[in-house]
Amino acid sequence: MAYLKNPRVRDFIRTIRSQCRKCNIRFVMSSGYQINSLDGERCQGIFEPPDHTAKSTSAARGALKVATGGRRTSEWLFSLAHEYAHFLQWMRDDPIFNEKDYYTLEEATEREALEICREFRLPMPRRVLLREKKNYLRKLKGGV
């Protein structure tokens, strides 16, 4: 995995792993093309906060998962930034995390993911980041 040789990417992943561990959240970078959410949905990535009301310890643990297989590094890295943005929204009790309108939530999350990529100086051209954001939001609206 050549991307792990980049110190900025390594630092980004190390930061996410450390913060997830502190919050009882399982961090997974899957080599598959897609991952399963708790409700069985197939997707590129998910963030599920821990459930402190769950009776079993496995159900109480949250998850931040991203699929890396069969994707360009820029694609899965931006997905990771997106899911990490959800994690940060949850951590700071940001009202957007509980937004009822899914598109509004995802639009705000995409903006935050761009900022995260900039903050960590991830090796992705801005035009690629903007393209990933645009494609994802277009897909949510039902356009192609």
Side-chain angles (χ1 to χ4, degrees), residues 40-94:
E41 177 186 341
R42 301 288 290 160
C43 54
Q44 290 183 11
I46 58 157
F47 169 69
E48 295 167 341
D51 180 359
H52 299 294
T53 63
K55 296 191 191 294
S56 74
T57 55
S58 62
R61 194 166 191 201
L64 192 158
K65 301 178 185 179
V66 173
T68 63
R71 301 189 186 289
R72 294 183 315 271
T73 301
S74 60
E75 187 178 354
W76 69 255
L77 199 52
F78 192 65
S79 291
L80 179 57
H82 176 97
E83 300 311 328
Y84 181 57
H86 280 307
F87 167 80
L88 294 174
Q89 293 162 350
W90 170 76
M91 280 286 296
R92 65 177 181 256
D93 289 325
D94 191 326

Side-chain angles (χ1 to χ4, degrees), residues 25-142:
I25 294 170
R26 189 169 153 238
F27 176 55
V28 176
M29 290 177 55
S30 167
S31 61
Y33 184 72
Q34 292 183 319
I35 51 100
N36 290 326
S37 65
L38 288 178
D39 62 3
E41 177 186 341
R42 301 288 290 160
C43 54
Q44 290 183 11
I46 58 157
F47 169 69
E48 295 167 341
D51 180 359
H52 299 294
T53 63
K55 296 191 191 294
S56 74
T57 55
S58 62
R61 194 166 191 201
L64 192 158
K65 301 178 185 179
V66 173
T68 63
R71 301 189 186 289
R72 294 183 315 271
T73 301
S74 60
E75 187 178 354
W76 69 255
L77 199 52
F78 192 65
S79 291
L80 179 57
H82 176 97
E83 300 311 328
Y84 181 57
H86 280 307
F87 167 80
L88 294 174
Q89 293 162 350
W90 170 76
M91 280 286 296
R92 65 177 181 256
D93 289 325
D94 191 326
I96 195 69
F97 186 71
N98 295 311
E99 173 62 46
K100 301 291 184 233
D101 180 36
Y102 188 68
Y103 186 83
T104 301
L105 164 65
E106 292 301 291
E107 188 175 40
T109 303
E110 288 289 290
R111 280 193 305 273
E112 188 166 354
L114 284 172
E115 288 303 313
I116 289 167
C117 291
R118 188 175 305 133
E119 174 188 335
F120 280 90
R121 296 176 45 224
L122 295 176
M124 298 161 47
R126 183 155 173 78
R127 64 181 166 68
V128 171
L129 294 171
L130 293 172
R131 183 185 67 223
E132 292 293 333
K133 174 186 170 188
K134 180 181 172 183
N135 289 343
Y136 177 65
L137 293 175
R138 183 184 306 135
K139 181 180 161 187
L140 283 181
K141 279 205 168 187

